[in-house]
């Protein structure tokens, strides 16, 4: 572990902030860094808006939500990986250890076989299958405790 964990946390926070700012200006459409910062500051009520509506829509409606969602999803996946590694006490743990990859492939094949195209019908199928698996697992654990 690092001798100064606060310094590591500060470096990670600065890196993530810099990458989020970079994500606001990179892509189709010419958006400068001052314009992107102005859009965010205007929507937070810190300054009066001075940018064109097209830049506002591009930054606030498209790039910022996608960037924040990508950062949140990356953090969730990293946390999930750390939990799996801690649970199995194995730094090489991966989704195949838990059977996640095989389960996802099985449900994908089942969905294609049933003619589901994705969206809410596929989400409902996954939900009910996962509920059934959880119920069976709970039943098996309870039955083992009683015997």
């Amino acid at each position: 572990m690092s001798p100064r964990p606060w310094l590591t946390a500060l470096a990670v926070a600065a890196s993530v902030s810099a990458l989020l700012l970079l994500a606001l200006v990179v892509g189709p459409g010419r958006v400068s860094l001052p314009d992107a910062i102005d859009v965010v500051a205007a929507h937070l009520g810190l300054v009066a808006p001075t940018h064109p509506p097209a830049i506002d829509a591009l930054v606030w409606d498209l790039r910022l939500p996608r960037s924040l969602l990508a950062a949140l999803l990356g953090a969730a996946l990293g946390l999930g990986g750390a939990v799996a590694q801690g649970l199995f006490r194995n730094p090489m743990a991966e989704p195949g250890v838990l059977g996640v990859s095989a389960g996802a492939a099985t449900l994908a094949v089942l969905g294609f076989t049933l003619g589901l195209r994705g969206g809410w019908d596929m989400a409902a199928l996954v939900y009910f299958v996962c509920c059934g698996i959880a119920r069976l697992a709970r039943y098996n654990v309870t039955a083992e405790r009683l015997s």
Side-chain angles (χ1 to χ4, degrees), residues 79-146:
L79 180 64
V83 166
Q85 290 174 352
L87 180 67
F88 292 109
R89 294 184 182 98
N90 180 359
M92 299 297 287
E94 47 104 12
V97 173
L98 295 173
V100 173
S101 302
T106 302
L107 285 178
V109 168
L110 180 63
F112 291 141
T113 304
L114 295 176
L116 304 176
R117 298 178 187 261
W120 290 109
D121 50 354
M122 184 60 108
L125 172 70
V126 170
Y127 174 76
F128 287 117
V129 168
C130 290
C131 287
I133 291 170
R135 188 139 176 107
L136 287 174
R138 182 175 175 214
Y139 175 75
N140 287 339
V141 169
T142 306
E144 287 177 11
R145 285 186 183 170
L146 294 176

Side-chain angles (χ1 to χ4, degrees), residues 2-139:
S2 173
R4 296 186 182 141
W6 61 270
L7 188 59
T8 304
L10 183 64
V12 168
S15 298
V16 169
S17 299
L19 289 172
L20 283 174
L21 282 175
L22 182 66
L24 294 179
V25 297
V26 173
R30 295 179 186 245
V31 178
S32 66
L33 185 59
D35 283 343
I37 292 172
D38 183 50
V39 167
V40 174
H43 278 278
L44 294 177
L46 302 175
V47 297
T50 60
H51 49 274
I55 299 291
D56 183 88
L58 187 62
V59 172
W60 187 257
D61 295 334
L62 291 175
R63 292 183 182 173
L64 185 64
R66 289 178 184 177
S67 301
L68 291 176
L69 184 61
L72 184 65
L73 184 60
L77 288 172
L79 180 64
V83 166
Q85 290 174 352
L87 180 67
F88 292 109
R89 294 184 182 98
N90 180 359
M92 299 297 287
E94 47 104 12
V97 173
L98 295 173
V100 173
S101 302
T106 302
L107 285 178
V109 168
L110 180 63
F112 291 141
T113 304
L114 295 176
L116 304 176
R117 298 178 187 261
W120 290 109
D121 50 354
M122 184 60 108
L125 172 70
V126 170
Y127 174 76
F128 287 117
V129 168
C130 290
C131 287
I133 291 170
R135 188 139 176 107
L136 287 174
R138 182 175 175 214
Y139 175 75

